C-alpha cells in the first residue's frame, strides 16, 4: 500500500490552526486567530483576539460603535500580538511566519516587525482601504516582511472518524 497523496499542505494546516484559534475569541463581531510557525514547520505559538488576561470579559465593552471607553477597540488585544506574547520558546521569532485570519493592523505590524517575523500569510484583507492596513503594508515593505494572501489550492478541510 502506498502513502496517501491527498493530505493537506502546510499552509492549509497552519491556517486551519489560526481558524480554530479564532473560535476561542469571545468578540461577538470579529473573531481573529493567528499561528506563528518556525522555519522547520513547527508551531511556535497561537493567539486570538480578546481582552487582556485578568480583565473580566463580562464587564468589558464589546461594542463596535461608540468612542473611547464605550468601545472594544482600546481594550482588545489582537490575535497576532497575543501570539507573539504567548511565545514561550525562550528564543527569537526571527525568520518565523505568521498565519492570520485577518490582515494585521498597524499596531500588530509593528510587533511583527520588531519580533523578527519575516512573512505574514493572511486569509482576509477586508480592511485593505483603511489607513491602518495601508500603514501596515508600508511598514512591512520597508522592513522586508513578506505578505501574501492565503490560497486554498487543494481540498476543503474536514474531519471524519
Amino acid at each position: 500500500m502506498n502513502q496517501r497523496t491527498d493530505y493537506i499542505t502546510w499552509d492549509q494546516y497552519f491556517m486551519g490552526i489560526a481558524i480554530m484559534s479564532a473560535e476561542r475569541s469571545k468578540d461577538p463581531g470579529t473573531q481573529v486567530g493567528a499561528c506563528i510557525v518556525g522555519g522547520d514547520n513547527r508551531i511556535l505559538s497561537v493567539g486570538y483576539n480578546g481582552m487582556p488576561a485578568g480583565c473580566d470579559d463580562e464587564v468589558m465593552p464589546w461594542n463596535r460603535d461608540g468612542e473611547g471607553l464605550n468601545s472594544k477597540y482600546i481594550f482588545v488585544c489582537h490575535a497576532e500580538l497575543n501570539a507573539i506574547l504567548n511565545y514561550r520558546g525562550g528564543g527569537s521569532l526571527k525568520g518565523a511566519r505568521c498565519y492570520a485570519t485577518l490582515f494585521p493592523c498597524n499596531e500588530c505590524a509593528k510587533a511583527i516587525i520588531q519580533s523578527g517575523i519575516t512573512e505574514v500569510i493572511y486569509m482576509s484583507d477586508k480592511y485593505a482601504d483603511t489607513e491602518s492596513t495601508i500603514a501596515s503594508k508600508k511598514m512591512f515593505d520597508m522592513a522586508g516582511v513578506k505578505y501574501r494572501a492565503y490560497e486554498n489550492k487543494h481540498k476543503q478541510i474536514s474531519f471524519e472518524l
Side-chain angles (χ1 to χ4, degrees):
M1 178 181 262
N2 294 330
Q3 71 179 16
R4 287 179 52 214
T5 58
D6 64 341
Y7 53 87
I8 62 174
T9 65
W10 286 118
D11 276 358
Q12 283 180 306
Y13 179 64
F14 298 129
M15 190 58 77
I17 300 293
I19 291 166
M20 286 301 296
S21 296
E23 290 296 315
R24 285 287 310 144
S25 175
K26 295 180 183 175
D27 190 322
T30 305
Q31 300 82 43
V32 181
C35 179
I36 299 175
V37 179
D40 59 355
N41 287 325
R42 294 188 190 271
I43 296 170
L44 301 175
S45 186
V46 295
Y48 55 89
N49 60 316
M51 295 299 172
C55 295
D56 187 350
D57 294 325
E58 301 294 323
V59 176
M60 301 299 278
W62 289 104
N63 304 320
R64 292 181 121 168
D65 301 323
E67 295 181 25
L69 299 176
N70 297 316
S71 157
K72 67 181 179 179
Y73 295 108
I74 63 173
F75 296 107
V76 169
C77 189
H78 290 180
E80 304 90 336
L81 182 59
N82 268 331
I84 291 167
L85 296 173
N86 288 339
Y87 176 60
R88 302 284 189 250
S92 170
L93 291 174
K94 187 174 183 173
R97 300 185 312 276
C98 179
Y99 288 80
T101 58
L102 184 63
F103 196 93
C105 73
N106 62 303
E107 293 299 321
C108 289
K110 292 180 215 176
I112 287 166
I113 292 165
Q114 291 297 89
S115 71
I117 293 170
T118 56
E119 185 176 15
V120 174
I121 301 91
Y122 60 92
M123 182 174 263
S124 172
D125 194 8
K126 69 180 182 178
Y127 299 113
D129 295 331
T130 66
E131 287 186 347
S132 174
T133 301
I134 293 167
S136 294
K137 290 176 182 176
K138 182 175 182 172
M139 288 186 285
F140 284 159
D141 290 341
M142 292 176 78
V145 174
K146 294 182 268 180
Y147 51 92
R148 62 181 166 92
Y150 167 73
E151 294 181 35
N152 188 10
K153 297 178 183 177
H154 303 284
K155 68 178 188 173
Q156 290 290 357
I157 299 171
S158 63
F159 182 74
E160 284 184 38
L161 287 176

